[in-house]
Amino acid sequence: MRFSMSLAALLGAGAAQAYFLVSELSFGYAGRISPADNPGHIANFAVSGQPGMPEILSSKVILTPVAPGNARGAIWSENPLIHSNWIIDVDFRASGPDRAGGNLNIWVARDGKNLGTRSVYNAGRFDGLVLVIDSHGGQGGMLRGFLNDGSTDFSQHHNVDSLAFGHCQFSYRNLGRPAQIKLRQRGDGFRVQIDGKTCFETSKVSLPKGNFVGITASTPDSPDSFEVFKMVVTSDTSSHDLNSGSSSNNDNSNNNNNNNNNNGNNNGNKDTSSNSNGGTQFAYSRQQQVPTNSQDFEEVADQDADTFQSSKAQFQDLHNRLQGTNHQLASVYRSVSRHHQMDEQRHNEVQDLFAAVNSKLALLDQLSTFQQRIVALENEVRNMNTELHERLSTTERSMHGALRTHHMSLTARVTENIPGHGKLIAVIIGTQVVLVGAYVVYKRRRANSPKKYL
């Protein structure tokens, strides 16, 4: 029941907010980075490196190799990000020896082409956002976010690390798998996630439109190898809708009278001036004005047929009505296309969810198999324990029997070799008798011997 409820919650969350793929700012989302007809290139992206170019494979881009050191690599989009709300999803992997180092930079900057292969430490006066992933702090790694509106020269700053507005610990080296970094900007703020977990978020950061997206990496003498598997940019509005909205506005302004044309041009000039105010926006800065289209077409009012006295008036009315019908059909087509794309995306999300569910179910099957193996190992260990106790008891009994037999045989041997007490007593008494007899004989001989007088 809990599993089904969580699945329903995920499905509801996926259907609540639809995001569209921005293909001109993405690569690696279709399973192949370099196309088969043009290997070694990434469509809509510029790749550069020092001293050599990054290696572009079918499934990944190696920005910095394992050797030699002091290498730099960069991938920059050739098209700007024209959406206000977006998600940038980057999968990368860093691997190298124990004391190797380097840094990976994820950029959303206005002057991306001028930045090239630079990192945050020598970027100079850039305008935008950069996420830096390195071994700062000596605790296994850290992710930090930096903002600049072009007023601070990072290459000349005495302590660049103090300029970070957000950070979190991130052990990214030698994981054996790609790590996921996700940047999300919406109307309620900015968020950075690592492998689905929030690193930091704030409501005081809002990046304007027109920035370029890029990834750079640099390494020291003992380098890490930074590999990028994908960079996918999605938005809550599709590029087709933005382009269609601008073209429909042009059509409507051409069909209005001169006064409406003048008003439309004035509004267009206001929008252009508001959009041209670039730079990184902070909480205290002025919010960027984004023009919105309330309608894709204008309805033509109904009129009586008697009001048209000339063929020119009739033709103009017919022309206006046909044009309004075309606008309505175009709006319906765009709406249907948008809903169709949303349905496809939701279908793909549901397929991904079911694939995840199937993988979890496969894990459950594996858990049952593991449980059976653990029970079998437990029984085997119990049997081995019982057999070991029995063998130890048998060995102990056999040792006790052998020692008892050895002691008995040794006692018998000692008893046999020891002489009897009677013999000893007889020897002692005999010796005393001989000594007494000798003494008596000596006395008698001395008594019978002639006495000598002087």
Side-chain angles (χ1 to χ4, degrees), residues 268-432:
N269 293 330
K270 291 180 181 179
D271 294 339
T272 303
S273 63
S274 64
N275 287 333
S276 63
N277 293 327
T280 304
Q281 296 183 357
F282 301 91
Y284 52 83
S285 63
R286 181 177 59 84
Q287 295 294 328
Q288 185 180 13
Q289 300 296 328
V290 180
T292 58
N293 297 324
S294 60
Q295 291 182 352
D296 291 334
F297 58 91
E298 294 182 358
E299 295 182 358
V300 180
D302 294 336
Q303 296 181 5
D304 295 333
D306 297 336
T307 59
F308 302 104
Q309 301 297 329
S310 63
S311 60
K312 182 178 180 181
Q314 293 178 357
F315 176 76
Q316 185 175 3
D317 180 70
L318 180 61
H319 174 267
N320 293 334
R321 294 184 183 276
L322 287 176
Q323 196 169 31
T325 303
N326 289 332
H327 292 166
Q328 294 181 13
L329 292 176
S331 177
V332 171
Y333 175 75
R334 287 193 300 270
S335 178
V336 171
S337 300
R338 183 166 56 251
H339 285 291
H340 179 67
Q341 189 173 5
M342 292 174 60
D343 292 338
E344 287 184 353
Q345 184 174 3
R346 291 174 182 174
H347 177 70
N348 294 330
E349 291 176 355
V350 172
Q351 284 185 341
D352 295 338
L353 289 175
F354 276 111
V357 170
N358 291 329
S359 62
K360 298 298 182 183
L361 292 177
L363 291 177
L364 292 177
D365 295 337
Q366 293 179 1
L367 288 177
S368 62
T369 305
F370 289 155
Q371 185 177 5
Q372 294 176 0
R373 291 182 179 179
I374 290 173
V375 172
L377 288 174
E378 183 180 1
N379 295 331
E380 186 175 357
V381 170
R382 186 181 293 108
N383 295 332
M384 291 177 62
N385 190 14
T386 303
E387 185 178 357
L388 182 60
H389 280 293
E390 292 179 355
R391 291 189 178 182
L392 288 176
S393 299
T394 304
T395 304
E396 184 180 3
R397 288 194 297 269
S398 61
M399 288 182 65
H400 286 172
L403 289 175
R404 188 180 297 107
T405 304
H406 179 69
H407 289 168
M408 291 177 64
S409 61
L410 184 60
T411 303
R413 291 178 183 178
V414 171
T415 304
E416 291 177 356
N417 293 329
I418 293 177
H421 295 285
K423 292 182 180 180
L424 181 60
I425 293 173
V427 169
I428 294 173
I429 294 175
T431 304
Q432 294 294 329

Side-chain angles (χ1 to χ4, degrees), residues 11-205:
L11 292 174
Q17 183 69 38
Y19 277 83
F20 302 91
L21 174 68
V22 185
S23 59
E24 62 271 15
L25 300 178
S26 304
F27 65 85
Y29 57 90
R32 187 178 181 91
I33 296 179
S34 179
D37 56 350
N38 191 12
H41 295 81
I42 305 177
N44 301 317
F45 282 87
V47 181
S48 60
Q50 295 176 357
M53 295 291 291
E55 186 177 0
I56 303 176
L57 304 178
S58 61
S59 60
K60 63 182 179 180
V61 179
I62 303 176
L63 288 179
T64 57
V66 178
N70 297 318
R72 297 176 180 272
I75 306 174
W76 281 99
S77 64
E78 296 179 347
N79 300 310
L81 180 59
I82 60 175
H83 303 270
S84 299
N85 300 332
W86 42 260
I87 296 176
I88 301 176
D89 189 355
V90 177
D91 286 1
F92 80 99
R93 181 171 62 188
S95 57
D98 292 338
R99 297 186 178 180
N103 58 68
L104 184 75
N105 305 265
I106 303 175
W107 297 87
V108 184
R110 186 167 296 274
D111 48 355
K113 296 181 180 179
N114 296 328
L115 287 171
T117 60
R118 297 178 184 177
S119 65
V120 68
Y121 298 104
N122 58 2
R125 300 179 183 273
F126 70 93
D127 183 3
L129 165 77
V130 57
L131 293 184
V132 182
I133 303 166
D134 58 7
S135 56
H136 174 75
Q139 298 181 1
M142 182 176 291
L143 186 148
R144 294 171 294 162
F146 296 87
L147 283 170
N148 193 8
D149 57 359
S151 61
T152 304
D153 190 349
F154 275 47
S155 61
Q156 301 297 327
H157 198 275
H158 64 282
N159 189 8
V160 176
D161 298 328
S162 63
L163 302 178
F165 73 93
H167 68 276
C168 67
Q169 297 294 330
F170 178 27
S171 298
Y172 64 94
R173 298 184 67 251
N174 297 324
L175 297 179
R177 58 168 177 82
Q180 182 190 53
I181 305 296
K182 184 176 290 186
L183 295 74
R184 182 192 299 267
Q185 174 172 294
R186 294 189 301 184
D188 55 353
F190 179 79
R191 178 187 301 173
V192 176
Q193 293 178 322
I194 301 175
D195 294 333
K197 297 181 180 179
T198 299
C199 175
F200 64 87
E201 60 181 334
T202 177
S203 59
K204 298 181 180 181
V205 174

Side-chain angles (χ1 to χ4, degrees), residues 203-276:
S203 59
K204 298 181 180 181
V205 174
S206 178
L207 299 176
K209 299 178 181 180
N211 293 315
F212 292 86
V213 183
I215 303 174
T216 64
S218 60
T219 58
D221 293 334
S222 180
D224 273 336
S225 176
F226 287 99
E227 303 170 341
V228 179
F229 293 87
K230 74 172 183 179
M231 183 173 70
V232 177
V233 180
T234 56
S235 176
D236 57 353
T237 57
S238 65
S239 302
H240 174 74
D241 291 339
L242 294 177
N243 296 330
S244 299
S246 61
S247 63
S248 62
N249 289 334
N250 293 330
D251 293 338
N252 289 329
S253 62
N254 290 330
N255 291 328
N256 292 328
N257 55 22
N258 293 330
N259 294 328
N260 291 332
N261 286 333
N262 294 329
N263 294 330
N265 291 330
N266 293 330
N267 293 331
N269 293 330
K270 291 180 181 179
D271 294 339
T272 303
S273 63
S274 64
N275 287 333
S276 63

